[in-house]
Amino acid sequence: MENNILSLPSDFVARMQQMLGNEWDAFLQSFENEEHHGLRINSLKKGLTEEKKEAILGSFQIQPNDIIPWTQTGFYYDHSTRPGKHPFHEMGLYYIQEPSAMSAAEFLDVKPGHRVLDLCAAPGGKSTQLASKMEQQGLLVSNEIHPQRAKILSQNVERMGLSNVIVTNEDSNHLKDYFSEYFHRILVDAPCSGEGMFRKNPDATEEWSLANVELCKERQLMILDNAAKMLMNHGRMVYSTCTFAPLENEEVIYEFLATHPEFHIEKVNAPYFDCGNPDWIQNEITDSCVDKSVVSDAFRLWPHHLKGEGHFVAVLQKGEKIETDTITFDTTSSYSKSKKKKPILDKEMQKNLEEFVKTNISQCLHSFLLEGELTLFGDQLYLLPNGSPRLSGIKVLRPGLHLGTYKKNRFEPSHALALFLGKDECNNTADISSTDSYVQAYYRGESIPVDAKNGWCLLCIDGLSAGWGKVNNGILKNHYPKGLRIQF
């Protein structure tokens, strides 16, 4: 344990020893232990039956009792099985996510049909978890301020086959002016000093300082204040961090409640976690009517108490809690779309799209793909989520489900559409086993022999969609995106 103390910042060690007292040794011992790894099954993947799910878990030696207690779709796995280096990962059958990080989305109480904002969303674990609860209904805006991280977020949204997600690349200060009291639910997984990830990412200790903790606190309060303005009355907001610092946790919540009397901490049942500690709040606000003791209804996840890294979560309720279906909102406000809009596609484009859909997609999806609201980004065609807001003035990376690309005199389907579809939703499919050597060849971008008709073909692996190809006389010409091709 002496080596661990030497590798940790001295100011961090001094503070944690004071906070933990006789638990310090156990906490420090946790740095000697191997980190815990988790994956979350994608419940939205079409065709993923319970039998197939069990087979997938079994291929990584995951047993039913390996379930992560605070989520029904998360499981611990042995790192040596390497599920991130498997075709199932590329197909979006699961998302690899740190176990403690799965807690915040569970507390948000998201339902199908909600309008939800994930304000600091990259790389996408929490967004995809929220989306699974929404069951492709309602609207999820997944925002990330850093452009490169926003691209990764967009890629993960695509990989999981999500159709009701808009990915934005904005500052919360801009969004708050655009989405005034718009969302039923908001998740603020705030940028923080990252102390809870020191075991998982030892290099983070070199970037840590007390001054940075202070800066993080100020930024967190600003983000929370902006988020509060975007949450409708009676809505719920969850604040989470991956740090141990009380300044960024209990104190942030205390100060936020002191300046936002319309909010209170919602007490929820979470027997797996520890309570927040009001004794760690140093900044006493003398004219506040908020008692510091309320932060004991927030939660801490300690690495020496559970199988996961360090996290903090607080559930914040705006006004009285009521059933969502009784909440009303003004559809004529500034963020609503104009009812009168010129057709987005010219006659030739519409003809090419209809020809592709009617030839290749099962009739059950014709109205969904052809009668929804479409938008063009250059030559890229997207289907916006039902009831989407007006998007002008916002940096948007992904305005919904990417349908495909217009080429000269034709329409080519996107990889996102392939991963959204189920096997029975495409007229021409080829199915190969996950143990077949042709799987490796397909992900390398090679052509493979298949038993399918000529034309566009949805390649499936173990009955689940993997990507497109174009068949000519029994040979599938590979259309797996070049930027995603991989050697397993």
Side-chain angles (χ1 to χ4, degrees), residues 16-33:
M16 296 305 296
Q17 285 178 322
Q18 185 178 16
M19 286 171 59
L20 292 173
N22 59 14
E23 287 197 38
W24 165 252
D25 287 341
F27 172 77
L28 193 60
Q29 179 62 49
S30 71
F31 284 82
E32 293 283 346
N33 302 333

Side-chain angles (χ1 to χ4, degrees), residues 288-318:
S288 172
C289 61
V290 177
D291 193 310
K292 290 194 298 184
S293 64
V294 297
V295 301
S296 62
D297 288 334
F299 301 101
R300 279 184 170 269
L301 285 68
W302 292 101
H304 59 298
H305 288 177
L306 49 73
K307 294 167 67 176
E309 304 304 319
H311 274 67
F312 175 88
V313 183
V315 180
L316 300 167
Q317 179 67 35
K318 187 176 185 179

Side-chain angles (χ1 to χ4, degrees), residues 279-438:
D279 294 337
W280 293 336
I281 296 175
Q282 296 179 355
N283 183 22
E284 186 80 45
I285 302 176
T286 55
D287 58 348
S288 172
C289 61
V290 177
D291 193 310
K292 290 194 298 184
S293 64
V294 297
V295 301
S296 62
D297 288 334
F299 301 101
R300 279 184 170 269
L301 285 68
W302 292 101
H304 59 298
H305 288 177
L306 49 73
K307 294 167 67 176
E309 304 304 319
H311 274 67
F312 175 88
V313 183
V315 180
L316 300 167
Q317 179 67 35
K318 187 176 185 179
E320 181 187 358
K321 181 182 178 182
I322 61 175
E323 293 302 316
T324 302
D325 57 10
T326 66
I327 295 177
T328 59
F329 52 92
D330 181 10
T331 58
T332 64
S333 58
S334 60
Y335 44 69
S336 299
K337 298 186 297 292
S338 171
K339 291 181 180 179
K340 293 183 179 180
K341 196 171 185 179
K342 293 181 180 179
I344 197 72
L345 303 179
D346 62 29
K347 289 184 179 180
E348 185 69 19
M349 286 178 164
Q350 187 68 31
K351 176 186 173 183
N352 290 338
L353 176 64
E354 289 181 3
E355 183 177 289
F356 170 81
V357 170
K358 292 177 179 178
T359 302
N360 298 284
I361 306 299
S362 301
Q363 190 170 3
C364 62
L365 277 184
H366 286 187
S367 61
F368 174 75
L369 296 175
L370 296 175
E371 296 175 15
E373 184 166 357
L374 302 172
T375 187
L376 275 171
F377 272 28
D379 58 1
Q380 306 299 311
L381 182 66
Y382 289 83
L383 176 66
L384 285 100
N386 189 31
S388 293
R390 176 177 51 82
L391 297 175
S392 59
I394 293 180
K395 296 175 187 174
V396 178
L397 270 69
R398 178 174 294 270
L401 177 61
H402 185 203
L403 298 184
T405 306
Y406 279 101
K407 302 289 181 74
K408 187 177 180 180
N409 299 322
R410 70 185 191 277
F411 176 81
E412 288 196 357
S414 71
H415 185 56
L417 180 60
L419 295 180
F420 167 77
L421 293 170
K423 182 180 179 182
D424 60 353
E425 293 174 336
C426 196
N427 294 335
N428 192 23
T429 64
D431 200 357
I432 57 178
S433 168
S434 57
T435 59
D436 196 314
S437 61
Y438 289 132

